[in-house]
């Protein structure tokens, strides 16, 4: 690829995994497979939970939001990534790069806060079951979702604006497969200490604060579960909370490793693979994690498949 043919003012060059051509071929297949799984799995969760009236509860309302978020999150990254993996050109327009940066940060922040909201919903359901329907009313659920999306948007606008206004002195080589905040900061030709400290400080607020709330919620949940006399109730609580905790562990583990390490001690290659994990693989794992251990969700999916099979038979009969 001739990098000199590209004007630094018009495009960014995403180096990605270009040092490993054979790895790019493997990654293109793997990413495509996981993207299809993400699209099918999360769409199925949204449709099945909407069509089954038994799943019109706060828990599944937040799960639908998580599935919709995962669809948007991966779609903002994977198509561009596949184009770069498949072809010799590793470029993205400057406008496209800036848009991807803002959207990527927005959706990433939303997921952190949404997982905390989902843990509060589980805390209320298990620790205050008699008041659950009163506390988690539809108005509060909508209000919480609005706040999550709004706070995350404000965080994205602030951090990304600080980043894109940094002078680059013609530097347009991003050692990543997407327009990510740390990669954009690294190509600045001025002292970026202030911006890096701002990223770290807001990272504490957006990442660690929700994580502390999640851990606190599950501390109370664990006490409540241990006090349960019903084995069936305990089993159901463990299954529901176990799914959420699995997603929290995968997502927050990768985020903390990448963004909250002193001095950014993660190597470049490690950083790329961890980003690949939480932006592409984790969204594809959410549907099986939430459905394999959830009887209600499995029943809803069976109904959805049954409806599709019936509609297919009817169309064939009419032909």
């Amino acid at each position: 690829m001739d990098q000199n043919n590209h004007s630094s003012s018009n495009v960014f060059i995403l180096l990605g995994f270009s040092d490993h051509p054979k790895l790019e071929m493997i990654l293109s297949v793997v990413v495509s497979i996981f993207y299809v799984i993400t699209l099918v799995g999360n769409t199925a969760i949204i449709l099945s939970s909407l069509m089954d009236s038994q799943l019109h509860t706060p828990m599944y309302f937040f799960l639908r939001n998580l599935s919709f978020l995962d669809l948007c999150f991966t779609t903002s990254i994977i198509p561009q990534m596949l184009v770069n993996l498949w072809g010799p050109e590793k470029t993205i327009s400057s406008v496209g790069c800036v848009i991807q940066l803002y959207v990527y940060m927005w959706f990433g922040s939303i997921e952190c806060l949404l997982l905390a909201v989902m843990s509060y919903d589980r805390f209320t359901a298990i620790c205050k079951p008699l008041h659950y329907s009163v506390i988690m009313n539809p108005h509060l659920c909508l209000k919480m979702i609005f706040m999550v999306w709004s706070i995350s948007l404000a965080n994205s606008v602030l951090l990304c604006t600080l980043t894109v206004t940094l002078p680059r002195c013609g530097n347009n080589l991003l050692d990543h497969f997407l327009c990510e905040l740390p990669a954009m900061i690294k190509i600045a030709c001025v002292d970026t200490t202030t911006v890096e400290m701002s990223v770290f400080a807001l990272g504490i607020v957006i990442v660690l604060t929700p994580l502390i709330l999640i851990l606190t919620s599950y501390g109370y949940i664990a006490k409540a579960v241990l006090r349960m006399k019903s084995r069936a109730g305990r089993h159901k609580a463990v299954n529901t909370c176990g799914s959420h905790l699995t997603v929290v562990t995968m997502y927050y583990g990768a985020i903390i490793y990448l963004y909250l390490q002193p001095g950014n001690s993660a190597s470049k290659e490690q950083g790329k693979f961890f980003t690949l994990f939480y932006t592409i693989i984790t969204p594809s794992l959410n549907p099986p994690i939430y459905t394999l251990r959830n009887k209600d969700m499995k029943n809803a999916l069976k109904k959805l498949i049954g409806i599709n099979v019936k509609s297919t038979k009817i169309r064939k009969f009419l032909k």
Side-chain angles (χ1 to χ4, degrees):
M1 177 181 62
D2 187 3
Q3 296 173 357
N4 294 323
N5 290 337
H6 302 292
S7 170
S8 61
S9 61
N10 295 325
V11 298
F12 284 94
I13 299 171
L14 299 172
L15 297 179
F17 302 95
S18 55
D19 292 338
H20 310 282
K22 292 182 179 179
L23 178 61
E24 282 191 322
M25 294 174 62
I26 297 171
L27 280 177
S28 65
V29 175
V30 173
V31 170
S32 299
I33 292 171
F34 276 100
Y35 186 43
V36 171
I37 294 172
T38 299
L39 293 178
V40 174
N42 286 289
T43 301
I45 285 181
I46 293 171
L47 293 177
S48 58
S49 62
L50 283 173
M51 295 175 67
D52 193 330
S53 58
Q54 292 183 344
L55 302 185
H56 292 177
T57 63
M59 173 183 169
Y60 293 103
F61 170 73
F62 294 128
L63 181 56
R64 284 195 297 273
N65 272 270
L66 179 63
S67 294
F68 176 72
L69 174 64
D70 285 340
L71 288 174
C72 296
F73 194 28
T74 52
T75 302
S76 70
I77 299 166
I78 294 181
Q80 176 67 45
M81 181 183 179
L82 288 176
V83 169
N84 289 349
L85 285 173
W86 286 335
E89 296 293 327
K90 311 293 181 184
T91 61
I92 182 172
S93 69
S94 57
V95 174
C97 187
V98 170
I99 291 173
Q100 187 181 71
L101 177 67
Y102 276 88
V103 171
Y104 175 79
M105 279 298 298
W106 185 24
F107 290 156
S109 301
I110 291 171
E111 185 134 2
C112 289
L113 298 179
L114 184 56
L115 290 173
V117 169
M118 293 174 75
S119 72
Y120 176 74
D121 172 67
R122 291 300 83 210
F123 160 76
T124 309
I126 294 172
C127 299
K128 300 181 180 181
L130 298 178
H131 303 93
Y132 177 71
S133 59
V134 176
I135 296 174
M136 299 302 295
N137 59 77
H139 178 71
L140 178 64
C141 292
L142 287 172
K143 190 175 181 180
M144 292 172 78
I145 288 297
F146 177 77
M147 288 180 63
V148 163
W149 284 72
S150 300
I151 292 171
S152 301
L153 178 60
N155 175 65
S156 174
V157 170
L158 177 59
L159 289 182
C160 295
T161 302
L162 285 173
T163 302
V164 298
T165 53
L166 289 171
R168 300 191 307 273
C169 303
N171 297 331
N172 68 333
L173 291 174
L174 292 176
D175 192 9
H176 217 296
F177 58 83
L178 56 83
C179 295
E180 193 190 30
L181 204 70
M184 294 288 286
I185 292 174
K186 284 179 182 177
I187 64 172
C189 57
V190 294
D191 182 23
T192 59
T193 304
T194 303
V195 176
E196 289 176 2
M197 291 301 294
S198 300
V199 171
F200 186 80
L202 283 173
I204 296 293
V205 175
I206 297 295
V207 178
L208 290 189
T209 302
L211 182 58
I212 291 170
L213 293 174
I214 291 171
L215 295 177
T216 303
S217 296
Y218 276 103
Y220 284 107
I221 288 171
K223 290 181 180 179
V225 170
L226 291 174
R227 289 197 299 263
M228 287 182 181
K229 296 180 180 180
S230 170
R231 183 177 294 181
R234 190 183 305 166
H235 181 70
K236 184 177 181 180
V238 170
N239 276 348
T240 303
C241 296
S243 301
H244 183 247
L245 271 178
T246 303
V247 174
V248 168
T249 302
M250 291 191 304
Y251 188 77
Y252 274 95
I255 291 288
I256 290 171
Y257 181 84
L258 281 172
Y259 292 101
L260 298 182
Q261 284 195 93
N264 194 22
S265 58
S267 71
K268 291 180 180 179
E269 295 303 314
Q270 284 179 328
K272 291 176 189 178
F273 280 106
F274 267 86
T275 304
L276 197 68
F277 178 80
Y278 83 84
T279 57
I280 296 170
I281 297 177
T282 300
S284 69
L285 295 178
N286 285 351
I289 287 172
Y290 278 108
T291 56
L292 291 178
R293 302 177 66 181
N294 189 313
K295 184 178 179 181
D296 295 335
M297 199 71 216
K298 284 191 284 189
N299 291 335
L301 287 171
K302 288 177 182 177
K303 290 180 183 178
L304 178 63
I305 294 171
I307 291 171
N308 289 336
V309 170
K310 286 180 181 179
S311 62
T312 302
K313 289 180 178 179
I314 291 171
R315 283 198 298 269
K316 286 182 179 179
F317 176 75
L318 292 174
K319 288 181 180 179

